Amino acid sequence: MTTVGRHIEIRGIVQGVGFRPWVYRLATEEQVAGRVRNDTTGVTIEAFGPEEAVDLFMRRLEDSAPPAAAVSGIRSWAIPVEAAVGFSIVSSAFGPEPRVSIPPDLATCSECVAEVFDPANRRYRYPFTNCTNCGPRFTIAREVPYDRAATTMAAFRMCPACQREYEDPSDRRFHAQPNACPACGPRLAVLTPRGDQVACDDPIAHVAGALAAGRIVAVKGLGGFHLACDATSPEAVGRLRLRKRRDEKPFAVMVAGLAEAAALATIGPEEWRLLTSVERPIVLAMRRRESGLAEEVAPRSPLVGVMLPYTPLHHLLLAETGRPLVMTSGNLSEEPLAYRNDEALERLGGMADLFLLHDREIDARADDSVARVIAGRPVVLRRARGYVPRPVAVKPRFEAPVLACGGLLKNTVCIGEGDAAWLGPHVGDLENLETYRSFEESIARMEKFLRVAPAVIAYDLHPDYLSSRYALARPEQVKVGVQHHHAHVVSAMAEHGLPGPVIGVAYDGTGYGTDKTAWGGEVLVARHDRFERVATLRPLPLAGGDAAIRHPWRLALALLEDAFDLRPPLDGLRLFSEVPPEEVAVVRQMLATRFCSPLAHGAGRYFDGIGSLVLSRPDSRYEGQVALEWNGAADPTGRSRYGYAVDWTSSPWEIDLRQMTREVVRDLRAGVCAKAISARFHQTLVAATATVVWAAARLHGSMPVVLTGGCFQNALLAERLAGALVSEFSVHLHRHVPPGDGGLALGQAVVAAAIARGST
Ligand code: ZN
Ligand code: ZN
Ligand code: FE
């Protein structure tokens, strides 16, 4: 029998997910000798034994993996045989190639949950229970490689019982870096907003009591603080809105289990899978009328965001309170999430009645992720806890490391290196100093974990975005400005490994165009390094700029002025009875003289404007509110549509929806319900878009189509448009990367790399 030796390198999410113990078990079962270790490239194995045994071992490595692992590649080669005895796990060593392999934070596994609820278990009711298959990872990592000493758990010394588990290859906690128990691990504390400790035997029972009594509690979680309250209590939720200064933007709700989730919202099989996935995002689903939730949780919204517990603390709290809890991010509206104890007390002191803290530090904040099922598949809308830092595989390889700084709203950053792109966690809207600091921290942390010194900096062309200014102030030589919608389209291309060209439909609120105007209803023929603007939506004047977005009645008026040749028939339209006539007169004057009324092509503005008109909703309390309601109003079975035109003589072609506006007014006057009008509106936009896509394909040749931009968070629009195109094109929607501006950075990175490659 020949004895052989093999060096095996496994890359991907392979650290902190029980990979080495799993390799150990396979090796022991196949009687292979050697060793396994973590290094900065992933996991490295040296295996020695009879040829058949080593082959079998290799095959099993290739064919299976621990549940939370994501293997992206295995390479192996023969090495000289060593007289190794047994198989061992050796401590981490640095490899030459820098690469992050810190896994994302993982929701508590069912075995750990069972232990926490088992009175006979030594971890009964212990809120920091975890194992190699679950627990905190990204949010507690301080350095790479991912080992306990490099995490915020370094402060806790394992007790003998935990140490035994940690060292026993047959144990579920073998090398579980955050392993802990009530004797040696982190502890809870209840504090008043002034920082005084509240004496209580059982912090969870104490807090559950406070929640049941209508109190607002700041709860320290995995990636930061939540503000929690009883989601069935209108008073509690109303108070939270007031204190958080958040008008109507929906709050996420955490429920104990799937049955409770199904009582609040329509949960299909895909929503079910998302809710129970190890990433545990907030899942947007259609709210049930009889949900039992306070109306204040998501006023007027057709959707509700639901999530299941993802830490033992959540499981215990939900079990103890026995009701759905609002779990919204612990911050004042527009500010980043609080994640350190002292910071939370200072910033949330005016919002929370009580604090549930613990002494395991969070190294960096990570918001809850948000996902939704669109066209039968999950789409990540906000990418943070649970997904970050899982990389996106990219082709062609990045020749030099790229840092992409993202956009202004829902900012994320991205580092591209080799064949992978790492999106950082959701940062938020870069409109205040706190968020800007968080943006800088996010970049610094990514650079540290990846050990990357970027050579190329990518940024949005908008000169006033803080992210663009940051990019331009960086010391690196090579900087590439990327057009907003080009970045959206390439983001979708990168996610699906499309080399281009593609026809990209990029519909969103706004993005800076190469002609310095606001784009946002764009059909592009795009490659990684360039694009041609084939078609655009007829622009609308935004009277007062951003004021038109906050007060979409101004958009409705602009639409009417445009569609009725400056003689808008306002009489009898309910919307305009809700706006003071003087204001209407002022805005008409602004529109007529184009005073402070920049033109914008954004598709989102049509949703805002027509929605405002038909639903008689003059104002939006948060970005996209009226558009969301307008989308939710649509009869999903409606198939009829309004008229539209395309101006084929202009360059780019112009999609002209004026006839639609006129017919909407006709329907309104005829008493047609909003449900039917909204369905026809969606159907019109779909038909008009499909028409220009077909025309683009006739002119430029058939190619794949990608649908991107914030408007494609709208499931009805995405499903209908994909449905209209699928017979002739391969149509791609986003999956793992947000269609909105949270996905921009990926596209920026790929575009910048392609342009930098071309220019050298
Ligand atoms: Zn576990
Ligand atoms: Zn212990
Ligand atoms: Fe955008």
Side-chain angles (χ1 to χ4, degrees):
M1 198 186 311
T2 357
T3 303
V4 297
R6 260 194 122 63
H7 178 101
I8 306 160
E9 289 183 0
I10 306 181
R11 302 198 320 196
I13 301 291
V14 290
Q15 293 184 11
V17 290
F19 209 90
R20 289 175 303 168
W22 175 75
V23 170
Y24 176 91
R25 278 193 290 276
L26 290 191
T28 319
E29 282 167 27
E30 299 304 337
Q31 304 197 329
V32 165
R35 58 193 74 88
V36 57
R37 66 163 187 272
N38 278 348
D39 54 38
T40 45
T41 71
V43 162
T44 299
I45 303 166
E46 283 154 349
F48 309 101
E51 193 167 6
E52 303 81 64
V54 173
D55 283 354
L56 205 56
F57 172 66
M58 273 295 297
R59 253 204 307 282
R60 290 184 69 185
L61 282 177
E62 283 162 358
D63 293 347
S64 53
V71 173
S72 61
I74 300 185
R75 292 193 301 168
S76 79
W77 55 88
I79 49 170
V81 176
E82 252 181 52
V85 181
F87 197 86
S88 57
I89 296 180
V90 296
S91 52
S92 301
F94 286 1
E97 196 186 354
R99 198 163 290 278
V100 78
S101 42
I102 295 171
D105 300 295
L106 307 167
T108 308
C109 74
S110 52
E111 286 167 287
C112 284
V113 173
E115 289 180 357
V116 168
F117 285 97
D118 173 8
N121 193 283
R122 73 187 187 95
R123 289 189 173 84
Y124 179 55
R125 289 176 74 80
Y126 183 58
F128 305 97
T129 302
N130 66 82
C131 73
T132 50
N133 298 319
C134 76
R137 301 286 190 272
F138 178 70
T139 52
I140 59 164
R142 290 200 200 278
E143 298 286 343
V144 280
Y146 175 74
D147 262 335
R148 187 174 178 109
T151 70
T152 62
M153 282 301 291
F156 300 90
R157 200 192 163 84
M158 272 186 272
C159 70
C162 286
Q163 190 70 40
R164 262 197 307 279
E165 294 166 337
Y166 186 85
E167 286 168 6
D168 176 1
S170 68
D171 195 279
R172 203 173 88 245
R173 298 199 163 88
F174 179 64
H175 282 229
Q177 306 306 341
N179 189 27
C181 79
C184 66
R187 280 169 208 206
L188 291 177
V190 180
L191 268 69
T192 68
R194 294 174 49 203
D196 303 323
Q197 190 135 0
V198 176
C200 59
D201 294 337
D202 189 336
I204 291 168
H206 186 89
V207 163
L211 287 167
R215 299 279 179 274
I216 295 165
V217 185
V219 179
K220 187 173 181 179
L222 215 46
F225 278 77
H226 281 123
L227 288 165
C229 76
D230 178 355
T232 64
S233 160
E235 296 76 33
V237 183
R239 205 155 44 238
L240 178 55
R241 285 209 174 274
L242 221 59
R243 292 190 192 167
K244 205 175 137 83
R245 289 189 222 149
R246 187 147 124 168
D247 243 354
E248 295 193 345
K249 199 170 178 185
F251 287 142
V253 175
M254 187 180 276
V255 292
L258 281 171
E260 290 82 356
L264 304 185
T266 315
I267 306 296
E270 283 300 324
E271 279 89 0
W272 184 91
R273 253 194 288 280
L274 260 180
L275 278 171
T276 54
S277 69
V278 72
E279 294 90 358
R280 289 295 152 96
I282 295 169
V283 178
L284 298 183
M286 296 303 277
R287 181 158 58 134
R288 285 192 193 282
R289 220 174 278 262
E290 309 288 317
S291 66
L293 288 180
E295 182 57 27
E296 288 76 2
V297 169
R300 293 195 269 217
S301 169
L303 300 171
V304 61
V306 190
M307 64 179 147
L308 297 188
Y310 54 82
T311 70
L313 178 59
H314 296 150
H315 282 282
L316 290 163
L317 258 185
L318 268 290
E320 196 88 16
T321 51
R323 67 193 74 199
L325 296 177
V326 164
M327 287 288 236
T328 185
S329 47
N331 54 10
L332 204 56
S333 270
E334 319 307 331
E335 288 184 0
L337 188 63
Y339 70 103
R340 290 190 309 266
N341 289 353
D342 50 347
E343 176 206 12
L345 282 164
E346 189 185 310
R347 288 179 46 204
L348 309 180
M351 285 179 259
D353 300 308
L354 210 58
F355 283 77
L356 181 58
L357 302 182
H358 59 72
D359 52 359
R360 184 179 73 201
E361 276 180 54
I362 297 171
D363 189 69
R365 60 170 70 82
D367 286 77
D368 290 319
S369 295
V370 179
R372 181 178 186 185
V373 176
I374 297 177
R377 291 179 153 191
V379 178
V380 177
L381 303 182
R382 180 166 82 188
R383 200 170 183 279
R385 192 234 345 121
Y387 293 96
V388 173
R390 197 168 285 172
V392 179
V394 170
K395 267 188 283 187
R397 291 172 59 87
F398 291 98
E399 279 174 15
V402 180
L403 165 67
C405 299
L408 176 75
L409 302 178
K410 305 179 177 71
N411 178 280
T412 58
V413 300
C414 179
I415 286 183
E417 203 219 4
D419 53 9
W422 284 269
L423 277 163
H426 167 85
V427 172
D429 301 347
L430 293 182
E431 294 184 315
N432 57 58
L433 190 61
E434 289 75 17
T435 315
Y436 182 71
R437 285 220 179 98
S438 171
F439 161 81
E440 289 183 315
E441 284 165 15
S442 180
I443 292 174
R445 197 163 185 258
M446 300 268 293
E447 288 177 331
K448 178 175 77 175
F449 282 175
L450 293 164
R451 294 160 193 254
V452 157
V456 178
I457 309 292
Y459 61 97
D460 191 277
L461 286 178
H462 200 302
D464 298 331
Y465 284 4
L466 284 181
S467 50
S468 304
R469 291 199 197 158
Y470 168 89
L472 293 169
R474 291 267 311 196
E476 288 80 0
Q477 289 291 310
V478 185
K479 290 175 187 158
V480 182
V482 181
Q483 199 280 322
H484 190 96
H485 303 94
H486 187 207
H488 273 309
V489 171
V490 175
S491 170
M493 291 168 71
E495 194 181 338
H496 295 287
L498 299 171
V502 301
I503 298 173
V505 179
Y507 283 178
D508 66 1
T510 191
Y512 199 74
T514 50
D515 60 359
K516 301 190 194 318
T517 69
W519 294 7
E522 313 305 318
V523 180
L524 313 177
V525 168
R527 292 168 172 79
H528 285 173
D529 63 342
R530 62 189 189 277
F531 69 94
E532 182 179 335
R533 191 184 188 204
V534 176
T536 185
L537 271 176
R538 183 176 171 83
L540 286 178
L542 308 189
D546 282 351
I549 295 163
R550 287 192 302 275
H551 307 292
W553 69 266
R554 295 178 176 217
L555 296 167
L557 187 56
L559 279 164
L560 294 172
E561 291 267 354
D562 192 29
F564 289 90
D565 293 326
L566 308 180
R567 284 187 299 278
L570 304 186
D571 290 344
L573 291 177
R574 217 177 87 213
L575 172 66
F576 294 98
S577 65
E578 296 185 19
V579 183
E582 324 71 87
E583 281 191 42
V584 175
V586 168
V587 171
R588 286 197 67 180
Q589 188 62 32
M590 289 172 81
L591 291 170
T593 57
R594 284 289 154 81
F595 176 72
C596 279
S597 299
L599 289 175
H601 296 264
R605 304 288 92 91
Y606 280 79
F607 283 83
D608 289 333
I610 300 283
S612 168
L613 176 67
V614 179
L615 300 173
S616 303
R617 296 272 283 113
D619 307 302
S620 262
R621 301 295 171 83
Y622 58 91
E623 195 220 340
Q625 182 186 25
V626 169
L628 180 66
E629 278 175 52
W630 181 232
N631 164 227
D635 172 5
T637 63
R639 290 283 168 182
S640 61
R641 64 167 178 84
Y642 299 117
Y644 65 87
V646 179
D647 181 353
W648 303 108
T649 63
S650 69
S651 178
W653 300 326
E654 188 177 90
I655 301 170
D656 177 351
L657 300 175
R658 282 177 297 178
Q659 191 184 338
M660 176 187 78
T661 305
R662 291 190 289 269
E663 292 178 4
V664 166
V665 172
R666 181 202 64 198
D667 272 0
L668 259 183
R669 293 194 188 286
V672 176
C673 66
K675 222 175 137 171
I677 300 178
S678 177
R680 287 175 195 167
F681 165 88
H682 281 81
Q683 211 53 12
T684 313
L685 191 56
V686 165
T689 308
T691 300
V692 298
V693 169
W694 284 318
R698 273 196 300 277
L699 194 64
H700 297 268
S702 191
M703 52 188 101
V705 174
V706 304
L707 309 183
T708 184
C711 290
F712 289 103
Q713 301 181 37
N714 174 334
L716 184 65
L717 179 69
E719 285 162 14
R720 283 294 167 81
L721 185 54
L725 296 169
V726 77
S727 61
E728 294 194 35
F729 301 94
S730 67
V731 182
H732 301 271
L733 294 164
H734 282 274
R735 294 287 307 279
H736 308 291
V737 175
D741 287 1
L744 271 184
L746 172 62
Q748 291 175 348
V750 173
V751 171
I755 289 175
R757 191 181 297 126
S759 66
T760 51

